[in-house]
């Protein structure tokens, strides 16, 4: 008899635990595309990925080329998004110059990208020479010469990478 009671209690515990876990999961809102973009960029940086370093080979650029724009495109693609290309189907993703241009027709005419006047998590941030992804409060993740870095680029007080040098913030809206 005692074993039956224990068995019933065990089954009830499993059922209730499963039900509570399911209810909690259902209460969590789905992640936004911006959150997915930021998380994927951080995931790549935290994993020490070197695919986008200067020396790394890339189909679009070869090796010995800066690939900050390729990093952004690969992150967005990895979470199911798209970025404009320089020439439809013929060349690589748009460069840092386009990402840093608030009037870029390649972005303003793209149905999934919207210009924003201030940064937020998951936005692409550009100054016309470099591009990265906002991954936290006053934090950007981007491809540099030898590694992916998460730092204060785009939020610094002065100089290169300062907030005043940023020209554009782009939000993926699809």
């Amino acid at each position: 008899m005692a074993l039956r009671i224990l068995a019933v209690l065990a089954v009830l515990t499993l059922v209730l635990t499963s039900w509570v876990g399911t209810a909690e999961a259902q209460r969590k809102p789905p992640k936004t595309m911006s959150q997915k973009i930021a998380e994927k960029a951080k995931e790549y940086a935290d994993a020490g990925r070197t695919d986008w370093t200067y020396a790394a080979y890339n189909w679009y650029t070869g090796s010995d080329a800066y690939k900050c724009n390729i990093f952004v495109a690969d992150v967005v693609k990895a979470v199911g998004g798209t970025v404009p290309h320089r020439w439809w189907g013929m060349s690589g993703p748009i460069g840092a110059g386009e990402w840093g241009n608030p009037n870029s027709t390649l972005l303003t005419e793209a149905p999934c990208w919207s210009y924003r006047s201030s940064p937020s998590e998951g936005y692409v941030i550009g100054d016309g020479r470099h591009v990265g992804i906002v991954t936290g409060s006053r934090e950007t993740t981007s491809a540099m010469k030898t590694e992916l870095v998460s730092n204060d680029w785009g939020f610094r007080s002065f100089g290169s990478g300062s907030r005043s040098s940023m020209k554009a913030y782009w939000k993926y809206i699809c």
Side-chain angles (χ1 to χ4, degrees):
M1 180 74 167
L3 286 175
R4 286 185 187 170
I5 293 172
L6 284 175
V8 168
L9 287 174
V11 169
L12 283 173
T13 301
L14 287 172
V15 168
L16 287 173
T17 303
S18 174
W19 179 76
V20 169
T22 301
E24 286 179 12
Q26 289 173 349
R27 282 192 296 235
K28 291 181 184 176
K31 291 181 181 175
T32 66
M33 192 61 151
S34 292
Q35 289 170 322
K36 291 177 186 178
I37 290 169
E39 286 178 8
K40 184 57 73 175
K42 285 290 284 185
E43 176 188 318
Y44 286 165
D46 291 346
R49 299 271 304 260
T50 58
D51 311 47
W52 305 277
T53 60
Y54 186 83
Y57 175 82
N58 179 275
W59 189 83
Y60 294 116
T61 64
S63 55
D64 297 333
Y66 289 103
K67 299 172 191 74
C68 57
N69 64 314
I70 307 295
F71 168 70
V72 167
D74 287 352
V75 167
V76 172
K77 182 178 177 185
V79 297
T82 59
V83 299
H85 279 57
R86 294 176 187 169
W87 299 289
W88 187 84
M90 303 281 292
S91 186
I94 60 172
E98 290 295 327
W99 287 112
N101 177 2
N103 300 310
S104 166
T105 56
L106 290 172
L107 283 158
T108 57
E109 293 176 4
C112 291
W113 289 95
S114 178
Y115 172 78
R116 298 294 197 251
S117 59
S118 61
S120 190
E121 181 184 49
Y123 288 17
V124 177
I125 179 175
D127 68 357
R129 295 175 314 225
H130 187 59
V131 64
I133 297 170
V134 177
T135 51
S137 175
R138 301 181 52 81
E139 179 185 77
T140 302
T141 300
S142 61
M144 300 300 286
K145 188 168 186 173
T146 60
E147 63 186 338
L148 293 179
V149 297
S150 294
N151 59 25
D152 64 348
W153 182 83
F155 298 97
R156 297 175 184 149
S157 298
F158 58 90
S160 177
S162 69
R163 177 75 190 260
S164 64
S165 69
M166 292 305 111
K167 295 187 170 56
Y169 309 100
W170 296 96
K171 179 180 181 179
Y172 193 84
I173 57 172
C174 290

